[in-house]
Amino acid sequence: MVGLKTFGYEGRSSWGRMLVADAFAVAIMAATVNACKYSFRVRRPDGSARNSFPSGHTATAFMTAAMLDREYGVRSPWFGIGGYAAATLVAVTRQLNNRHWMSDVLVGAGIGVLSTEAAYLLADLIFRERGLRGYSDVYALRDRFAHPSFCAIGIGFAKITGRYAGPAERCLTFGAGPAAYVRGAWFATPYAGIGGRAVASRADVRVDGAKADEKLECVSAGAGPVCSYPLSARWLLGAHLTAGWERSRSCLTSAGTIGGRDGFLFGSGVSVTGIVGERSGVRLSADWDSVPPLVAWGGRLHRLTFGLGAALVF
């Protein structure tokens, strides 16, 4: 952001307005993250310290991505797409490095984005119309039948429904757990297109009602047709079909090991998108998926996922 502005590529705000908003965002994010870290004192996955929750790296990355989208997303949606893609990579690698639980990065991402939104609200109250460079967030007239192509990132919760046979004929059930997703779609018409998604989820495992120490973690990716109907200029109703692949991580329970398997995934879902800016929106979604069994002789699992995300519409 500093480099773009230094070389004369103007965004939404003047130097002063941008730096004040960014200072507010850093202060809000740092205060929230550290207050949570030293209040909850969650042990890191590698056992090195008790300051795992939430992830400061992830909060910083998503805060910065939201800043970039705020300043330059009004000029091109690719600034926001690139920023959030990089921030998602930070969140994923913090888990791959065994430094954070999934819940840590999900909450960290939320803190980062909300800190930036709160900071820009404060800056707008202070500066009002001063320092805007002709790329403000005012509502523009929007074509109801514009092609609703989008890229979205979101968080929510997933629930594997029902009961399943586990090792030694033990009964497996699952609690609701956090989920995070990245999804997007390209529309050839106002109504039909093709899209894809990547989802990570985590859930408690119960064997005959007793909670296991380890949690079931799954990642999946898929693609398929999507459709959209414009209820109004700023409200879109959508649906999709998805086919893809899912992998579950091995999970040790009192009945034995489950997971560690991969296989074909298929499902469907619906969504409602509200357009809140020139190119930004809020997306509510509900998905059903049939996912691979956790043991060789078991049946396929049924999972419901509910999510709330931020979308870039282009």
Side-chain angles (χ1 to χ4, degrees), residues 8 42 60 82 87 90 105 115 117-118 125 138 147 169 172 216 219-220 232 237 255 261 263 268 293 308:
V42 175
T60 303
V90 171
V105 300
S115 296
E117 292 298 318
L125 292 173
V138 297
H147 294 193
E169 299 300 320
L172 297 178
L216 177 67
V219 293
S220 66
S232 69
L237 179 65
R261 301 171 56 82
S268 62
L308 170 65

Side-chain angles (χ1 to χ4, degrees), residues 111-122:
I111 290 173
V113 173
L114 293 175
S115 296
T116 297
E117 292 298 318
Y120 271 82
L121 176 61
L122 290 172

Side-chain angles (χ1 to χ4, degrees), residues 196-268:
R197 71 174 191 189
V199 182
S201 64
R202 186 183 187 194
D204 291 331
V205 181
R206 295 183 175 89
V207 180
D208 294 336
K211 185 176 177 180
D213 291 335
E214 296 188 2
K215 298 179 184 294
L216 177 67
E217 295 184 344
C218 304
V219 293
S220 66
V226 294
C227 63
S228 177
Y229 181 76
L231 299 173
S232 69
R234 296 193 175 274
W235 289 98
L236 307 175
L237 179 65
H240 70 269
L241 297 174
T242 300
W245 203 255
E246 173 154 313
R247 171 79 178 179
S248 61
R249 185 177 179 180
S250 296
C251 175
L252 181 63
T253 71
S254 59
T257 300
I258 63 172
R261 301 171 56 82
D262 53 9
F264 180 68
L265 167 150
F266 63 89
S268 62

Side-chain angles (χ1 to χ4, degrees), residues 1 12 63-81 83-84 117 137 279-280 310-312:
M1 289 163 56
R12 175 184 186 267
M63 175 194 70
T64 311
M67 289 177 183
L68 184 62
D69 184 44
R70 271 287 193 159
E71 286 296 329
Y72 287 101
V74 292
R75 299 208 53 169
S76 171
W78 290 104
F79 285 106
I81 293 171
Y84 282 114
E117 292 298 318
D137 298 330
R279 291 192 180 94
S280 60
L312 294 173

Side-chain angles (χ1 to χ4, degrees), residues 69 81 84 149-154 181 183 273-277 279-283 309-314:
D69 184 44
I81 293 171
Y84 282 114
S149 301
F150 72 90
C151 179
I153 183 169
Y181 69 82
R183 65 197 316 161
T273 301
I275 308 300
V276 297
R279 291 192 180 94
S280 60
V282 175
R283 195 170 185 278
L312 294 173
V313 182
F314 51 93

